[in-house]
């Protein structure tokens, strides 16, 4: 059965470009992103991995470890990483899982046979410190991911995990957020001292509380 939001992210051990890892040990107490790539030496994946390497400081600031996977073998990954570093002007500083037996790809339902029998689609899972799946996004092989969106949604997940708010359409870090409907306005006024603006009884905004 496929994984859904709120499910425990299955643990696994795997060979990677940075040695053998235990997924949970790699994640530690922080957040994690596991994302799949259809194949090595492919152009879109090359740009995605380069972009992820460039964003290392952004992920570090969000206490988030990233981990990529492709079903190709380790020796192929190692050669490809050199190409990524060269062409994307970066240093890939996170592990890429070699998954030739498709153990991890199967565990995370990353192969969608009606899209491709042999290769993973572009799956992306965000996993919380409690090891539960907080977000799943699936892109087809032909569309590279928007990593600004990945950071944006990570900001929203981390904010809403710790405060009684939700984030509106197109929200970005620093903008006003929505008070969750379960909190009455009188209580919200106490809880959010920066102010609560009531547009409708069910639509209340407050400045981002963790700034
Ligand atoms: C790519 O990563 O460039 C790619 C992979 C599979 C199909 C199309 C593009």
């Amino acid at each position: 059965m496929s994984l859904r939001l709120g499910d425990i992210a299955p643990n696994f051990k795997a060979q990677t470009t940075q040695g053998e890892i235990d997924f949970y040990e790699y994640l530690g107490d922080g957040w994690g992103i596991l994302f799949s790539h259809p194949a090595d030496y492919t152009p879109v994946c090359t740009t995605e991995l380069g972009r992820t390497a460039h964003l290392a400081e952004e992920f570090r600031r969000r206490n988030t470890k990233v981990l990529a996977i492709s079903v190709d073998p380790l020796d192929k990954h190692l050669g490809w990483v050199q190409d990524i570093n060269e062409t994307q002007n970066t240093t890939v500083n996170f592990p890429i899982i070699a998954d030739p037996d498709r153990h991890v790809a199967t565990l995370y339902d990353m192969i969608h046979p009606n899209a491709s029998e042999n290769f993973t689609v572009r799956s992306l899972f965000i996993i919380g410190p409690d090891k539960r799946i907080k977000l799943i996004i699936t892109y087809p092989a032909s569309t590279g991911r928007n990593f600004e969106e990945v950071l944006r949604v990570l900001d929203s997940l981390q904010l809403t995990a710790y405060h009684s708010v939700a984030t509106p359409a197109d929200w970005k870090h620093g903008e006003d957020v929505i008070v969750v409907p379960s909190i009455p306005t009188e209580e919200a006024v106490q809880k959010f001292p920066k102010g609560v603006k009531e547009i409708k009884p069910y639509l209340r905004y407050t400045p981002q509380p963790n700034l």
Side-chain angles (χ1 to χ4, degrees):
M1 204 177 77
S2 59
L3 294 169
R4 295 180 178 177
L5 299 190
D7 289 354
I8 292 285
N11 195 21
F12 56 82
K13 286 188 170 47
Q15 296 296 331
T16 80
T17 50
Q18 296 187 352
E20 182 170 318
I21 64 155
D22 174 287
F23 186 43
Y24 280 12
E25 277 179 20
Y26 174 70
L27 294 180
D29 296 334
W31 292 69
I33 298 183
L34 173 67
F35 62 126
S36 61
H37 295 274
D40 293 7
Y41 293 105
T42 49
V44 176
C45 299
T46 299
T47 62
E48 287 191 319
L49 291 172
R51 178 78 173 122
T52 305
H54 279 293
L55 291 172
E57 176 56 20
E58 295 295 330
F59 290 117
R60 193 200 60 72
R61 285 201 298 117
R62 291 166 175 83
N63 191 24
T64 300
K65 297 265 186 70
V66 295
L67 180 56
I69 171 173
S70 156
V71 296
D72 284 322
L74 190 57
D75 58 341
K76 210 168 167 185
H77 282 7
L78 293 171
W80 185 35
V81 165
Q82 290 181 29
D83 273 15
I84 298 166
N85 290 345
E86 178 195 325
T87 62
Q88 308 304 303
N89 193 25
T90 191
T91 302
V92 173
N93 45 10
F94 53 86
I96 305 175
I97 296 171
D99 193 35
D101 64 2
R102 302 182 190 176
H103 171 66
V104 179
T106 305
L107 202 57
Y108 278 79
D109 198 28
M110 292 166 164
I111 296 178
H112 297 193
N114 291 327
S116 166
E117 280 288 339
N118 300 316
F119 303 112
T120 64
V121 291
R122 294 184 198 283
S123 300
L124 184 143
F125 295 85
I126 297 186
I127 295 152
D130 58 0
K131 305 293 180 291
R132 290 191 182 272
I133 296 172
K134 307 298 182 187
L135 178 91
I136 303 173
I137 321 180
T138 308
Y139 294 76
S142 52
T143 303
R145 282 165 273 228
N146 181 333
F147 285 88
E148 294 297 333
E149 170 61 4
V150 173
L151 292 175
R152 189 195 75 88
V153 78
L154 194 50
D155 285 339
S156 172
L157 290 168
Q158 294 186 342
L159 174 70
T160 60
Y162 306 114
H163 298 271
S164 303
V165 297
T167 57
D170 298 334
W171 173 86
K172 289 197 222 50
H173 183 77
E175 295 178 354
D176 286 357
V177 298
I178 286 174
V179 177
V180 293
S182 58
I183 299 190
T185 299
E186 313 78 67
E187 190 183 325
V189 168
Q190 304 299 318
K191 203 172 172 75
F192 300 108
K194 291 180 186 170
V196 174
K197 188 163 66 179
E198 185 177 281
I199 310 296
K200 293 278 183 189
Y202 60 86
L203 179 60
R204 289 95 33 97
Y205 288 91
T206 188
Q208 185 175 327
N210 63 344
L211 290 180

